[in-house]
Amino acid sequence: MTSTVPAFGTRTAEGSALQAVLLDMDGTLVDTEGFWWDAEVEVFARLGHTLDDSWRHVVVGGPMTRSAGFLIEATGADITLAELTVLLNDGFEDRIGRALPLMPGAQRLLAELTKHRIPTALVSASHRRIIDRVLTSLGPRNFALTIAGDEVERTKPHPDPYLLAAGGLGAEPARCVVIEDTATGIASAEAAGCHVVAVPSVAPITPAARRTVVPSLEQVDLPFLRGLMTEKH
């Protein structure tokens, strides 16, 4: 169900209560949330339907079964969920094949976590075929574990993906920091009992207990993440 890369062990950095960092992919590490929406708009245009821009906030960040199902129901398009899933993955994969911009600070943060041997997992609602394509740009060496949305029975917003990631790294969820960009992903991480750093991409996110909101990954480094473990919430 999961793909592991023997980049490093799960040894916690000395003197730190931080056991692992779990990262979302689309909109968090790679600037691709717009790619998904563009693919959805294009596919439905071919089916004779125009998507309402307000729906973008409904479909962002969640599993494809939810977003695609919503769009089929909202438009009344004559297409099955299975057929639409293939078309959307094809459209997205075509776009990342042409360009795959990383979010500001992503490369530096991943390099820092790898340098200090912090166990790190990539946890995405995207399918495995998409994750494996994106990993070529993010660097598979930067992740001890990757989990795709089509590899878990219940993906985000359920806690399962982050519980699976923490367990796979031998970490306690309460001593993991999750970095996410959408309300759906944050709900998953918080339900799993993790600390959350929110870097909003499409819709605003408000701070809450055990949830810190920052404007960019450029504000996130290892001392910052370790500091979250000692804050009183």
Side-chain angles (χ1 to χ4, degrees), residues 32-211:
T32 50
E33 288 292 8
F35 286 15
W36 282 114
W37 179 247
D38 290 345
E40 288 158 352
V41 168
E42 181 182 272
V43 168
F44 277 90
R46 296 204 305 265
L47 296 171
H49 298 275
T50 300
L51 300 188
D52 190 312
D53 197 60
S54 66
W55 296 343
R56 182 172 181 174
H57 297 291
V58 179
V59 301
V60 68
M64 186 174 293
T65 51
R66 188 195 72 182
S67 57
F70 168 83
L71 292 173
I72 290 173
E73 183 176 353
T75 61
D78 184 19
I79 190 171
T80 67
L81 184 60
E83 291 169 337
L84 181 56
T85 295
V86 171
L87 293 177
L88 293 178
N89 273 325
D90 286 347
F92 182 82
E93 198 164 356
D94 176 65
R95 282 166 171 79
I96 64 174
R98 287 182 263 140
L100 185 57
L102 270 58
M103 299 298 286
Q107 196 81 283
R108 186 266 315 152
L109 177 60
L110 291 176
E112 183 179 11
L113 294 174
T114 299
K115 177 182 177 181
H116 291 277
R117 300 181 62 82
I118 302 299
T120 304
L122 185 67
V123 184
S124 177
S126 290
H127 290 187
R128 170 56 58 188
R129 62 178 279 196
I130 300 298
I131 287 182
D132 286 345
R133 284 290 301 274
V134 174
L135 274 173
T136 62
S137 294
L138 289 177
R141 66 190 176 281
N142 291 317
F143 303 97
L145 178 69
T146 65
I147 295 175
D150 56 341
E151 296 173 338
V152 291
E153 185 174 343
R154 300 189 309 169
T155 187
K156 305 172 186 180
H158 297 287
D160 306 35
Y162 283 113
L163 290 174
L164 184 61
L169 296 177
E172 301 169 30
R175 294 176 69 181
C176 295
V177 173
V178 168
I179 304 180
E180 272 278 1
D181 70 306
T182 67
T184 299
I186 290 167
S188 173
E190 291 181 340
C194 304
H195 291 254
V196 174
V197 173
V199 191
S201 60
V202 175
I205 302 292
T206 57
R210 296 169 62 85
R211 181 198 307 166

